Amino acid sequence: MKTRLAALMALFVGILSAQLEMNYSYEMKYGDGMQVTPLTQDTTDYSYFENLLDINTYYGDKIYIYSQLEYSNPPVYGNNRTSIDSILNTFYIEYSSDRYNIKLGDLYELYGRGLGFYTLQEQAIDYNNSIKGLTLNYFIKENLKVSTIIGTGKYEYRSNPAKRESDLQINNNIFLGSLDYEHNNFGYFQFLYLKQTSFLTSEFIGKIYNKGEIGTELDKSQRTPSEQMQYMFNQSNPGTGISDTLNPSVANYNWNFYFGPIEVYIDKVWMNYEKIYGNEVFGSRFYSSIYTELFETGITYEYKDYYTPYLIKSISNPPIVYREGNSILASRNVHSMNFGNEVGHQIDLNRNLFGDMNVTANLSISNRHQMDEMESISLLDVLSMKDEDKMYSYYPFRQVYLEINGWTLSERLYYKVGMDYFTEFYDGKNTSALTIPTHWVWKLSSANSLTIYLETQKKNVKKTTPGEYTNHYSSISYSHLGKWILTGFYDQEIKDSKSNEWIGADLSYKLNSKTQISLFYGDQKGGLVCANGICAEQPGFENGYKITFRSLF
């Protein structure tokens, strides 16, 4: 269907080609080697061949068409796309004028900070919760806008991040209406109302039954079919079960304003929703951020309070309120975010010390709400993260980060030295890791440069799977005239005096200002790849090569 629609659009814009402007972005990824299973260290054949072509089409100043074509057999993550009907991955057409904006197709929209509605695509982890339909924005006045979205979507996700392909699916119908108002003195206001219908198949419910918090709650739900009812249904409908339809509704209000030198943002969601096989319950989400400068220091404080237990998040992506760093070793310790039950704080400080030296500091903490007969804990308990039995039910998390960066030696040497201390109690485990990441760039003569990453980490895991780890990571890159870059990688993990090593090399060559090709050979340690709290597991890679080609034209 999307392929036929795109063909008609291509014919239409072809007729109007006199005012047509198009540009393209192409990326090809190819890999062939051995996949390493984390627990058993068994190896199996592993390969991927992924091609993405983004097409941006402009007709005059008012019409914009976006298309993403994908041919993958197989992709890094997700299903094969080899047939004509599956190649068109994303498509939408947008018309804009002075008073209104219309978009038709795959909709990626953000309202507020995403507590009520936020659809996006993250190709790196095969995440896409877009809605197919129509969105309309109409400006009644310059500072007053009404919007609506009508559409349907198929949200696919993994029951386990280690799975290469999605194995769970929710079908959604949505209707959304919003009102935006801006005032010079009182700031920016937005109110939206969302009505959603989610269709859960019996196969979906069967896969999540008795797994995780939502699955284990099914037996307690008021509308759970009795064993006799399930038996009678299965007898008359072999191989099937009982599906369910949920009808959540959302009211969302957000406000952004300035109070002197302080910027304040407030976002609140009130939600009525049904548990699977359950009656209607009430939940809420709250997010707030404050930014100011004090004594030449930029200060950002964020707070979250999400409480929609047993709700499956499918068309929203609230802020995670913790730091996602770019350190190789530190990023392997990922907070197990619970969007349905979590309270958290984050404070971030940025300051120029003197000259070209800057300092950054960050503290993030979170825990779940007190439920049932859980023993109460305080904010100080989460800050201290003492290993006490009462803490484990709250799944507490704390991360402290400190960084100094800048230029020195007449701006020939760039340095970044950090300290990351991660602690989390999750699923009966107490994980703590202290990471020292460093980044160095030395400018050589004739536009050449040397880039070095050196990182070390001490990691301890207690309780159910005890272990002590020492990890080291280093990479050295030489860039010659900005034309080609040669990089060597070394990754080491030491546990119980046993050492594992991963060694690789990469050569990147810039064919021209818009085209680059990279060739990697060697081994890579597996781990989680995350974006906004959603993760996929990158498998370990051994004795293989990877080719990446990128071009703009």
Side-chain angles (χ1 to χ4, degrees), residues 133-203:
L134 170 74
T135 180
L136 170 64
N137 300 299
Y138 181 74
F139 286 88
I140 300 173
K141 295 181 179 180
E142 185 177 346
N143 63 340
L144 182 62
K145 181 181 73 171
V146 293
S147 305
T148 188
I149 296 179
I150 302 173
T152 183
K154 181 173 67 175
Y155 172 56
E156 297 178 333
Y157 67 103
R158 299 171 179 79
S159 59
N160 186 327
K163 291 182 178 291
R164 193 167 182 178
E165 298 182 4
S166 300
D167 60 330
L168 298 174
Q169 176 181 310
I170 299 174
N171 295 318
N172 293 311
N173 289 341
I174 71 125
F175 170 79
L176 180 151
S178 76
L179 177 68
D180 298 56
Y181 176 71
E182 187 171 8
H183 190 278
N184 291 334
N185 296 326
F186 301 110
Y188 177 85
F189 304 84
Q190 183 182 75
F191 176 81
L192 74 83
Y193 178 78
L194 168 68
K195 188 64 179 178
Q196 175 184 350
T197 302
S198 298
F199 304 97
L200 310 182
T201 65
S202 57
E203 181 183 10

Side-chain angles (χ1 to χ4, degrees), residues 56-87:
N56 299 286
T57 305
Y58 303 87
Y59 179 71
D61 298 328
K62 297 185 176 182
I63 298 177
Y64 170 68
I65 302 174
Y66 173 77
S67 304
Q68 183 185 77
L69 308 180
E70 178 180 351
Y71 178 88
S72 297
N73 189 25
V76 178
Y77 298 108
N79 301 317
N80 289 357
R81 291 180 177 271
T82 57
S83 65
I84 294 296
D85 288 339
S86 67
I87 286 179

Side-chain angles (χ1 to χ4, degrees), residues 6-17 20 59 63 65 93:
L8 291 174
M9 290 299 175
L11 177 62
F12 172 72
V13 298
I15 296 173
L16 306 175
S17 59
L20 197 66
Y59 179 71
I63 298 177
I65 302 174
I93 181 169

